[in-house]
């Protein structure tokens, strides 16, 4: 596919094929999408979790360092996407092979994205019903809220990158202003007496806080290329990743920590209710969940195209199915039991980045012309990935994101030097992806 097609109504139809330069976007547009991913209630919850387990100062240090590391991973993964113009599930093929990526890596990413869509939809639905109850005294079933907002957020994802761009261009600046204003209101109402009332016995170290922050964003780091494939240059990718990810992520940690200390509540939507502004709380809830969750469904749809061997222009259908599955999981209450599993899944996904990064930046010397997509299973990558995960599980007191990524990447480099990658063997032919795997 040599150019990006558009379906009716401007629907995006380029999925696994390379995004042509004429359809790529400015770094500011992509930075807004990245920031929108960061601004959500769970990000505020992260700040609350950190400040409940350590001093206020250490919580902020952990969050800042954690999001700097996240931004670095976004840059490294994202530049691969912008270099070759393809999503993460395609960039993974070099290290895992087409079948290895289709049956293993894309399936895991798909499950992760559907799970997070379910969690976010459940949070939004329950909070929306709670806001209706507290502000208007009316009972609105949480299941109805989940169904309504899950489907609304899904529509944006179905239309693709242009809809994400439009949504975040409007929502992100407003969310920055409203979230800061809400925190100021909370401080004015409750004072700062508890702000530095640190726990007597901290339950987490700074290193532990950094690990929690990076693990929280593991799936987002891995899926970075799904969005950055729309960047024209490496410079644009670095700008959008650094300025989109770090400021928004750090802001959420700080605000979540402040509100947890002064108002005993990390959820800004509830803080607005407590200070007598439930409508603003509702706006924040909807906008913050929408900007994050639509990306979950979008990435889930991209991976479903690879998993199910669909044509590029069927992404809208795959995205719709992904979002509906996530909404159904939320309606069935599975999201309430899913978060622990999603963090385990995050540990499983971390070593994937080690293989992808080693293949592109070390073995391929960071050159797009050295990127190739072998058929079948690349067992060198699969074994390295499993070894990276084993290191994470066997050394629970370590730093999972570092040891998982480094172990997988180093083993992959060693194995390829000893055995050789499929794409380095004589007679290798890199067939087009349009062969439908």
């Amino acid at each position: 596919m040599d150019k990006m097609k558009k379906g009716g109504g401007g629907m995006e139809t380029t999925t696994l094929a390379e995004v042509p330069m004429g359809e790529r976007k400015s770094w500011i547009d992509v930075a807004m999408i990245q920031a929108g991913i960061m601004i959500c209630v769970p990000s505020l919850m992260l700040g609350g979790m950190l400040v409940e387990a350590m001093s206020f100062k250490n919580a902020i240090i952990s969050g800042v360092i954690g999001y700097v590391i996240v931004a670095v991973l976004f840059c490294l993964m994202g530049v691969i996407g912008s270099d070759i113009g393809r999503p993460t599930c395609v960039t993974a093929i070099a290290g895992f092979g087409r079948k290895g990526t289709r049956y293993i890596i894309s399936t895991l990413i798909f499950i992760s994205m559907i799970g997070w869509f379910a969690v976010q939809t459940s949070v939004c639905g329950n909070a929306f019903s709670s806001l209706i109850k507290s502000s208007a005294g009316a009972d609105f079933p949480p299941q109805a809220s989940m169904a309504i907002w899950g489907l609304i957020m899904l529509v944006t994802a179905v239309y693709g990158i242009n809809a994400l761009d439009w949504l975040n261009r409007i929502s992100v600046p407003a969310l920055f202003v409203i979230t800061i204003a809400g925190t100021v209101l909370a401080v004015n109402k409750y004072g700062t007496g508890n702000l530095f009332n640190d726990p007597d016995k901290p339950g987490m170290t700074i290193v532990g806080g950094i690990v929690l922050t990076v693990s929280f964003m593991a799936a987002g780091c891995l899926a970075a290329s799904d969005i950055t494939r729309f960047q024209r240059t490496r410079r644009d990718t670095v700008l959008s990743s650094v300025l989109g990810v770090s400021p928004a992520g750090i802001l959420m940690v700080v605000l979540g920590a402040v509100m947890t200390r002064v108002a005993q509540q990390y959820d800004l939507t509830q803080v607005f209710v407590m200070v007598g502004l439930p409508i603003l709380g509702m706006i924040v809830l909807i906008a913050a969940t929408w900007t994050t969750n639509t990306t979950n469904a979008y990435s889930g749809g991209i991976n479903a195209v690879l998993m199910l061997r669909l044509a590029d222009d069927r992404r809208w259908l795959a995205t719709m199915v992904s979002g509906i599955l996530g909404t159904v999981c939320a309606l069935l209450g599975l999201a309430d039991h899913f978060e622990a599993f999603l963090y385990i899944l995050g540990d499983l996904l971390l070593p994937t980045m080690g293989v992808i990064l080693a293949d592109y930046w070390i073995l391929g010397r960071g050159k797009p012309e050295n990127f190739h997509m072998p058929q079948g299973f690349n067992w060198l990558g699969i074994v390295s990935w499993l070894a990276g995960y084993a290191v994470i599980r066997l050394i629970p007191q370590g730093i999972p994101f570092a040891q998982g990524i480094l172990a997988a990447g180093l083993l992959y480099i060693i194995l390829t030097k000893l055995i050789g990658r499929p794409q380095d063997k004589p007679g290798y032919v890199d067939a087009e992806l349009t062969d439908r795997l």
Side-chain angles (χ1 to χ4, degrees):
M1 186 178 296
D2 57 1
K3 70 177 184 177
M4 187 182 200
K5 300 176 184 177
K6 290 280 170 56
M11 189 175 292
E12 173 194 326
T13 55
T14 296
T15 307
L16 306 182
E18 181 180 354
V19 178
M21 283 295 173
E23 298 294 342
R24 302 199 186 190
K25 297 183 174 295
S26 72
W27 72 264
I28 295 176
D29 289 335
V30 175
M32 287 293 187
I33 296 174
Q34 305 282 42
I37 295 171
M38 300 295 118
I39 302 176
C40 58
V41 174
S43 290
L44 293 168
M45 180 180 69
L46 173 63
M49 292 169 64
L50 291 173
V51 84
E52 286 180 342
M54 62 180 73
S55 70
F56 184 83
K57 175 185 174 182
N58 287 350
I60 303 306
I61 291 174
S62 298
V64 170
I65 296 175
Y67 272 111
V68 167
I69 294 171
V70 167
V72 170
L73 291 173
F74 260 82
C75 289
L76 291 172
M77 292 294 295
V79 166
I80 303 175
S82 62
D83 275 359
I84 66 175
R86 298 177 189 255
T88 295
C89 60
V90 177
T91 68
I93 292 176
F96 296 96
R98 298 193 183 189
K99 288 185 178 180
T101 302
R102 177 189 171 198
Y103 292 123
I104 302 173
I105 307 305
S106 272
T107 301
L108 290 174
I109 299 175
F110 174 79
I111 293 171
S112 178
M113 292 303 171
I114 296 312
W116 282 116
F117 188 92
V119 169
Q120 292 273 11
T121 301
S122 178
V123 168
C124 183
N126 284 313
F128 184 80
S129 294
S130 178
L131 282 171
I132 294 293
K133 177 70 174 179
S134 59
S135 60
D139 289 320
F140 194 80
Q143 288 77 12
S145 295
M146 293 175 200
I148 292 170
W149 290 112
L151 292 176
I152 289 174
M153 290 182 282
L154 176 57
V155 169
T156 314
V158 165
Y159 269 83
I161 195 70
N162 289 328
L164 268 66
D165 183 11
W166 171 83
L167 171 66
N168 286 279
R169 198 181 301 177
I170 294 172
S171 300
V172 168
L175 283 169
F176 265 102
V177 173
I178 295 174
T179 51
I180 292 172
T183 306
V184 171
L185 288 172
V187 170
N188 287 339
K189 181 177 177 64
Y190 297 102
T192 59
N194 293 325
L195 190 58
F196 298 103
N197 186 18
D198 298 330
D200 295 330
K201 294 182 179 180
M204 188 182 298
T205 64
I206 290 179
V207 172
I210 295 170
V211 169
L212 178 63
T213 303
V214 177
S215 298
F216 181 80
M217 284 304 302
C221 293
L222 180 59
S225 292
D226 293 353
I227 305 298
T228 61
R229 63 192 172 118
F230 288 95
Q231 295 282 234
R232 296 184 181 92
T233 65
R234 289 183 173 184
R235 174 182 175 275
D236 286 350
T237 301
V238 171
L239 284 172
S240 65
S241 298
V242 171
L243 299 180
V245 172
S246 292
I250 292 170
L251 176 67
M252 291 297 102
V253 167
V254 172
L255 297 186
V258 170
M259 288 186 296
T260 297
R261 283 291 174 85
V262 303
Q264 307 301 305
Q265 173 63 261
Y266 67 81
D267 188 345
L268 185 59
T269 62
Q270 292 299 320
V271 171
F272 274 117
V273 173
M274 292 159 66
V275 298
L277 296 170
I279 300 301
L280 273 181
M282 196 173 297
I283 292 172
V284 170
L285 166 71
I286 294 168
T289 307
W290 197 347
T291 56
T292 303
N293 219 18
T294 191
T295 310
N296 291 330
Y298 178 70
S299 291
I302 291 173
N303 283 277
V305 168
L306 182 63
M307 286 168 51
L308 303 176
R309 301 179 65 185
L310 302 177
D312 261 26
D313 60 4
R314 298 289 94 182
R315 182 204 58 82
W316 69 271
L317 179 59
T319 303
M320 185 173 291
V321 171
S322 300
I324 290 174
L325 283 175
T327 303
V328 169
C329 286
L331 290 172
L332 294 176
L334 297 180
D336 298 335
H337 310 286
F338 213 22
E339 281 197 68
F341 168 71
L342 289 173
Y343 285 113
I344 294 173
L345 192 59
D347 286 344
L348 195 58
L349 290 173
L350 280 170
T352 304
M353 284 187 276
V355 174
I356 296 173
L357 294 173
D359 188 275
Y360 191 81
W361 291 109
I362 306 299
L363 300 173
R365 300 179 182 178
K367 297 179 179 180
E369 59 268 26
N370 293 335
F371 175 81
H372 300 287
M373 296 180 288
Q375 298 281 3
F377 294 90
N378 183 352
W379 291 106
L380 304 182
I382 294 171
V383 169
S384 300
W385 161 65
L386 290 173
Y389 179 67
V391 169
I392 292 175
R393 305 312 299 174
L394 292 173
I395 312 177
Q397 302 304 316
I399 305 176
F401 65 85
Q403 63 202 39
I405 293 173
L406 289 175
L410 286 173
L411 180 59
Y412 181 67
I413 292 170
I414 292 170
L415 290 176
T416 55
K417 294 297 183 182
L418 293 174
I419 301 173
R421 298 180 301 171
Q423 54 266 52
D424 295 331
K425 301 293 178 65
Y428 172 80
V429 177
D430 190 27
E432 287 296 321
L433 194 64
T434 47
D435 286 348
R436 300 282 298 281
L437 304 180

